[in-house]
Amino acid sequence: MAAEQPRVLDSIVDGLRFETLTLSRAEEAYALQAEAFADEPASAFTLADRAARLEECKRFSGMFTEECAGNGLSVACIEASTDKMVGALWIRDFRAPMHPSFEEILSKLTNLGKVIDVLVQVDGMYDALRPEVVGLGKAADLWMLAVHPDHRRKNIASKLTDIGLAHAHAAGAPCRCLLDVFGIAVLRNLAW
């Protein structure tokens, strides 16, 4: 069986290449996400030991590896000169069931659990506003966005978001996100 090949989504700009995330790079993606998330408030104030935070963040990201890295929608940002992944946007089906270990990890990363609680409330608002995209397979979710700490403030997250939204739309998967729920360009105005 031939190795899965990523589809390049944008030409190399500023030494970066944007391509579909494939299963062959999934482990690199969830290690990147763990590194990016380990010091964020949602996890940093929950577990004092950084190594423990990294491990829980890897477990959290790893729960979505097969689904997100194998669906053809998720996007990776690759530093062209090193072929190293420096950013990733995982896109998943809005109504896909959560991994069985999801609640266990949230019990350890309690601040992340609080964020998820808010997102569940937003989901209810979304259901009311957009009933046509409520079912399984009807909408994509911008699930996890991460940029390696050494590569922040280079507009990578904004580019990943723009490319990911366009790619999902072109694939026939309208994206459900805060931008859609509130009808304003919240994501585009963040200084990433």
Side-chain angles (χ1 to χ4, degrees):
M1 176 186 236
E4 147 190 54
Q5 294 297 311
R7 184 171 144 231
V8 175
L9 301 173
D10 198 14
S11 57
I12 296 175
V13 177
D14 297 327
L16 302 172
R17 178 179 72 244
F18 294 86
E19 62 189 37
T20 53
L21 179 60
T22 60
L23 286 170
S24 62
R25 292 195 88 147
E27 189 171 325
E28 184 181 4
Y30 72 77
L32 162 78
Q33 288 177 328
E35 186 65 38
F37 296 156
D39 295 320
E40 295 297 322
S43 56
F45 300 126
T46 303
L47 297 171
D49 179 54
R50 188 170 196 281
R53 287 196 311 270
L54 274 170
E55 191 57 37
E56 288 306 315
C57 288
K58 277 185 186 176
R59 285 187 59 216
F60 181 82
S61 296
M63 288 188 295
F64 303 97
T65 298
E66 188 173 330
E67 176 189 356
C68 294
N71 67 11
L73 294 175
S74 299
V75 180
C77 176
I78 309 298
E79 186 175 52
S81 64
T82 63
D83 200 42
K84 177 184 172 190
M85 187 178 303
V86 296
L89 172 62
W90 287 29
I91 300 175
R92 68 185 302 267
D93 189 306
F94 172 47
R95 287 295 181 200
M98 291 297 180
H99 190 279
S101 300
F102 187 72
E103 292 296 326
E104 175 201 343
I105 290 175
L106 289 183
S107 71
K108 293 180 180 177
L109 299 172
T110 54
N111 287 343
L112 180 60
K114 292 173 187 175
V115 171
I116 297 294
D117 290 343
V118 170
L119 292 176
V120 168
Q121 292 175 6
V122 170
D123 288 349
M125 291 169 35
Y126 187 79
D127 290 352
L129 291 170
R130 299 284 309 275
E132 73 276 11
V133 293
V134 168
L136 186 66
K138 301 230 180 191
D141 199 2
L142 302 182
W143 183 235
M144 290 187 280
L145 173 65
V147 175
H148 191 279
D150 293 343
H151 293 273
R152 291 185 179 160
R153 296 291 190 209
K154 297 178 182 177
N155 209 25
I156 293 171
S158 294
K159 288 177 186 175
L160 279 165
T161 301
D162 287 343
I163 291 168
L165 286 169
H167 174 58
H169 179 73
C175 282
R176 178 210 73 91
C177 60
L178 293 179
L179 174 132
D180 190 24
V181 171
F182 295 110
I184 55 175
V186 174
L187 293 175
R188 296 185 197 285
N189 291 327
L190 295 176
W192 291 337

